Amino acid sequence: MNRNQISTGQMISLMLMFEIGVAAVINLGFSAGRDEWMASLIGMILGAVLFWFYTSISRHFPTLPLTAISRKLLGKYAGAAVGLMYVIYFMYIGSRNLREGSNLINIVLLNNTPLVVITTLMVCCVAYVTYLGFEVLARTAVLLMVFIFSIVLIINVLLFASGSVHVDYILPILADGIGPLWEAITTDTLIVPFGEMILFLMLLPYMRRPEKGGYIGVISIIIGGLLITQTMFLNVASLGLNIAKGSPFPVLSTISTIQISDFIQRVDILVVMTMIITNFYRVALYFTAVLIGASDIFNIPYRKLVIPVAFIFLIWSYSMARNYIFQIEFGVLAFYYVHPLFLFFFPSLLLVAAWIHKRRQRRSTTIA
């Protein structure tokens, strides 16, 4: 895969697609009740700090992906083991996103189509785009980002024009105290999608100026985080807490409240398109990260890995849960037992190793 092909604007577009995709498909922060929008906003701030922490690792080796950095800092075998675990982790999260996108299409659009058919078609599209190259995915993201922001603007105007937004639905603020809010932040909104931005340590080396990755990531998190916060706010303000919390896709339920006379209604197809596009990019980015990591660890050209990785994504996605409800319940366990290991423990270990590595280099330079 050619390096130094991705511009700053393209990387920002990819990051925004990655962040927006999760807010459109799954419920976030509802353990905070009416304050879910506040949990998202604080999660955004902490997420920006967390991403800066991530890039402080890659800043020592800006041209290397995360798997290569782990070998550089932890040694050949321990580093390869950590890198391989990250590849499996990215594969797991990518498969979950594939299943969530397939469930969305199955429930909303193609009720009578077997889920395996939808999943197969989706993973084939992802495999084809990634086979063409990471830069192709990045170029299309810029164009589609303009379309998505246009849709977001139109939907916001229609929601307020139709009188669907009731600010009193989000009141009172902090009615249950700070406890539920903090729980929602630490076990939900900080991790998804902001903690998951560690994925981009695999992709930043392919930028023309990878040393600027930290600034670009923080800017993207602020923009995406504000958009997610607004989405969470509108969900509760339009539907009320109980309906928003009980809906499998609260964004769609929110859009369904739009009705201006008998002229403008049923605009949810625009949101469905946005949800499918952004979810596709999340899956494609995880797919790309797996290809880069596996290619780096096993020293195999990434195009030779496209079909095997696509097959694993397909099997894992289809077999991970019997139904949508079971998948959500299984995902909750990941928040407590899987994500902290890869989003907090291993990055902390790598940062300590990077500090030791840098100190040794200074000593050797002084002695020389």
Side-chain angles (χ1 to χ4, degrees), residues 340-351:
L341 183 66
F342 292 94
L343 304 185
F344 304 115
F345 176 74
F346 283 141
S348 299
L349 178 65
L350 290 173
L351 187 61

PDB file of all heavy atoms in Angstrom, residues 340-351:
ATOM      1  N   PRO A 340     -11.414  -1.637  27.559  1.00  0.00           N
ATOM      2  CA  PRO A 340     -10.393  -1.037  28.441  1.00  0.00           C
ATOM      3  C   PRO A 340      -8.990  -1.583  28.208  1.00  0.00           C
ATOM      4  O   PRO A 340      -7.997  -0.848  28.332  1.00  0.00           O
ATOM      5  CB  PRO A 340     -10.896  -1.390  29.851  1.00  0.00           C
ATOM      6  CG  PRO A 340     -12.369  -1.542  29.699  1.00  0.00           C
ATOM      7  CD  PRO A 340     -12.557  -2.167  28.339  1.00  0.00           C
ATOM      8  N   LEU A 341      -8.896  -2.856  27.858  1.00  0.00           N
ATOM      9  CA  LEU A 341      -7.586  -3.457  27.630  1.00  0.00           C
ATOM     10  C   LEU A 341      -6.875  -2.809  26.454  1.00  0.00           C
ATOM     11  O   LEU A 341      -5.680  -2.490  26.523  1.00  0.00           O
ATOM     12  CB  LEU A 341      -7.758  -4.966  27.390  1.00  0.00           C
ATOM     13  CG  LEU A 341      -6.477  -5.783  27.188  1.00  0.00           C
ATOM     14  CD1 LEU A 341      -5.644  -5.796  28.460  1.00  0.00           C
ATOM     15  CD2 LEU A 341      -6.817  -7.212  26.762  1.00  0.00           C
ATOM     16  N   PHE A 342      -7.613  -2.579  25.359  1.00  0.00           N
ATOM     17  CA  PHE A 342      -6.999  -2.077  24.123  1.00  0.00           C
ATOM     18  C   PHE A 342      -7.004  -0.558  24.017  1.00  0.00           C
ATOM     19  O   PHE A 342      -6.213   0.004  23.248  1.00  0.00           O
ATOM     20  CB  PHE A 342      -7.720  -2.676  22.910  1.00  0.00           C
ATOM     21  CG  PHE A 342      -7.510  -4.150  22.758  1.00  0.00           C
ATOM     22  CD1 PHE A 342      -8.419  -5.052  23.284  1.00  0.00           C
ATOM     23  CD2 PHE A 342      -6.389  -4.645  22.112  1.00  0.00           C
ATOM     24  CE1 PHE A 342      -8.226  -6.416  23.155  1.00  0.00           C
ATOM     25  CE2 PHE A 342      -6.180  -6.004  21.984  1.00  0.00           C
ATOM     26  CZ  PHE A 342      -7.098  -6.900  22.510  1.00  0.00           C
ATOM     27  N   LEU A 343      -7.868   0.098  24.772  1.00  0.00           N
ATOM     28  CA  LEU A 343      -7.958   1.551  24.678  1.00  0.00           C
ATOM     29  C   LEU A 343      -7.224   2.274  25.797  1.00  0.00           C
ATOM     30  O   LEU A 343      -6.929   3.466  25.667  1.00  0.00           O
ATOM     31  CB  LEU A 343      -9.433   1.981  24.670  1.00  0.00           C
ATOM     32  CG  LEU A 343     -10.310   1.370  23.579  1.00  0.00           C
ATOM     33  CD1 LEU A 343     -11.704   1.972  23.620  1.00  0.00           C
ATOM     34  CD2 LEU A 343      -9.691   1.525  22.205  1.00  0.00           C
ATOM     35  N   PHE A 344      -6.930   1.560  26.897  1.00  0.00           N
ATOM     36  CA  PHE A 344      -6.270   2.213  28.030  1.00  0.00           C
ATOM     37  C   PHE A 344      -4.997   1.489  28.477  1.00  0.00           C
ATOM     38  O   PHE A 344      -3.949   2.117  28.633  1.00  0.00           O
ATOM     39  CB  PHE A 344      -7.245   2.326  29.217  1.00  0.00           C
ATOM     40  CG  PHE A 344      -8.516   3.051  28.881  1.00  0.00           C
ATOM     41  CD1 PHE A 344      -9.732   2.395  28.901  1.00  0.00           C
ATOM     42  CD2 PHE A 344      -8.497   4.390  28.523  1.00  0.00           C
ATOM     43  CE1 PHE A 344     -10.910   3.047  28.594  1.00  0.00           C
ATOM     44  CE2 PHE A 344      -9.665   5.069  28.211  1.00  0.00           C
ATOM     45  CZ  PHE A 344     -10.871   4.389  28.244  1.00  0.00           C
ATOM     46  N   PHE A 345      -5.079   0.159  28.683  1.00  0.00           N
ATOM     47  CA  PHE A 345      -3.940  -0.561  29.237  1.00  0.00           C
ATOM     48  C   PHE A 345      -2.774  -0.639  28.254  1.00  0.00           C
ATOM     49  O   PHE A 345      -1.653  -0.206  28.571  1.00  0.00           O
ATOM     50  CB  PHE A 345      -4.355  -1.969  29.665  1.00  0.00           C
ATOM     51  CG  PHE A 345      -3.206  -2.804  30.165  1.00  0.00           C
ATOM     52  CD1 PHE A 345      -2.641  -2.565  31.410  1.00  0.00           C
ATOM     53  CD2 PHE A 345      -2.656  -3.808  29.370  1.00  0.00           C
ATOM     54  CE1 PHE A 345      -1.561  -3.317  31.864  1.00  0.00           C
ATOM     55  CE2 PHE A 345      -1.583  -4.558  29.808  1.00  0.00           C
ATOM     56  CZ  PHE A 345      -1.036  -4.311  31.060  1.00  0.00           C
ATOM     57  N   PHE A 346      -3.008  -1.194  27.064  1.00  0.00           N
ATOM     58  CA  PHE A 346      -1.917  -1.338  26.094  1.00  0.00           C
ATOM     59  C   PHE A 346      -1.344   0.014  25.650  1.00  0.00           C
ATOM     60  O   PHE A 346      -0.110   0.154  25.544  1.00  0.00           O
ATOM     61  CB  PHE A 346      -2.372  -2.153  24.881  1.00  0.00           C
ATOM     62  CG  PHE A 346      -2.433  -3.632  25.140  1.00  0.00           C
ATOM     63  CD1 PHE A 346      -3.462  -4.400  24.608  1.00  0.00           C
ATOM     64  CD2 PHE A 346      -1.473  -4.265  25.904  1.00  0.00           C
ATOM     65  CE1 PHE A 346      -3.528  -5.766  24.848  1.00  0.00           C
ATOM     66  CE2 PHE A 346      -1.519  -5.630  26.150  1.00  0.00           C
ATOM     67  CZ  PHE A 346      -2.555  -6.384  25.620  1.00  0.00           C
ATOM     68  N   PRO A 347      -2.167   1.030  25.382  1.00  0.00           N
ATOM     69  CA  PRO A 347      -1.577   2.340  25.050  1.00  0.00           C
ATOM     70  C   PRO A 347      -0.708   2.909  26.174  1.00  0.00           C
ATOM     71  O   PRO A 347       0.339   3.502  25.902  1.00  0.00           O
ATOM     72  CB  PRO A 347      -2.811   3.218  24.813  1.00  0.00           C
ATOM     73  CG  PRO A 347      -3.864   2.277  24.365  1.00  0.00           C
ATOM     74  CD  PRO A 347      -3.623   1.027  25.152  1.00  0.00           C
ATOM     75  N   SER A 348      -1.132   2.719  27.423  1.00  0.00           N
ATOM     76  CA  SER A 348      -0.306   3.182  28.546  1.00  0.00           C
ATOM     77  C   SER A 348       1.018   2.441  28.576  1.00  0.00           C
ATOM     78  O   SER A 348       2.083   3.039  28.810  1.00  0.00           O
ATOM     79  CB  SER A 348      -1.057   2.979  29.870  1.00  0.00           C
ATOM     80  OG  SER A 348      -2.261   3.706  29.892  1.00  0.00           O
ATOM     81  N   LEU A 349       0.968   1.130  28.338  1.00  0.00           N
ATOM     82  CA  LEU A 349       2.184   0.319  28.291  1.00  0.00           C
ATOM     83  C   LEU A 349       3.118   0.803  27.184  1.00  0.00           C
ATOM     84  O   LEU A 349       4.338   0.938  27.395  1.00  0.00           O
ATOM     85  CB  LEU A 349       1.810  -1.153  28.070  1.00  0.00           C
ATOM     86  CG  LEU A 349       2.959  -2.154  27.955  1.00  0.00           C
ATOM     87  CD1 LEU A 349       3.732  -2.237  29.273  1.00  0.00           C
ATOM     88  CD2 LEU A 349       2.424  -3.537  27.572  1.00  0.00           C
ATOM     89  N   LEU A 350       2.563   1.088  26.018  1.00  0.00           N
ATOM     90  CA  LEU A 350       3.374   1.552  24.887  1.00  0.00           C
ATOM     91  C   LEU A 350       3.955   2.932  25.146  1.00  0.00           C
ATOM     92  O   LEU A 350       5.095   3.218  24.746  1.00  0.00           O
ATOM     93  CB  LEU A 350       2.532   1.564  23.611  1.00  0.00           C
ATOM     94  CG  LEU A 350       2.144   0.186  23.047  1.00  0.00           C
ATOM     95  CD1 LEU A 350       1.166   0.341  21.893  1.00  0.00           C
ATOM     96  CD2 LEU A 350       3.390  -0.579  22.582  1.00  0.00           C
ATOM     97  N   LEU A 351       3.191   3.788  25.823  1.00  0.00           N
ATOM     98  CA  LEU A 351       3.692   5.132  26.105  1.00  0.00           C
ATOM     99  C   LEU A 351       4.861   5.083  27.085  1.00  0.00           C
ATOM    100  O   LEU A 351       5.859   5.799  26.916  1.00  0.00           O
ATOM    101  CB  LEU A 351       2.572   6.005  26.667  1.00  0.00           C
ATOM    102  CG  LEU A 351       2.928   7.486  26.856  1.00  0.00           C
ATOM    103  CD1 LEU A 351       3.286   8.119  25.516  1.00  0.00           C
ATOM    104  CD2 LEU A 351       1.772   8.235  27.504  1.00  0.00           C
TER     105      LEU A 351
END
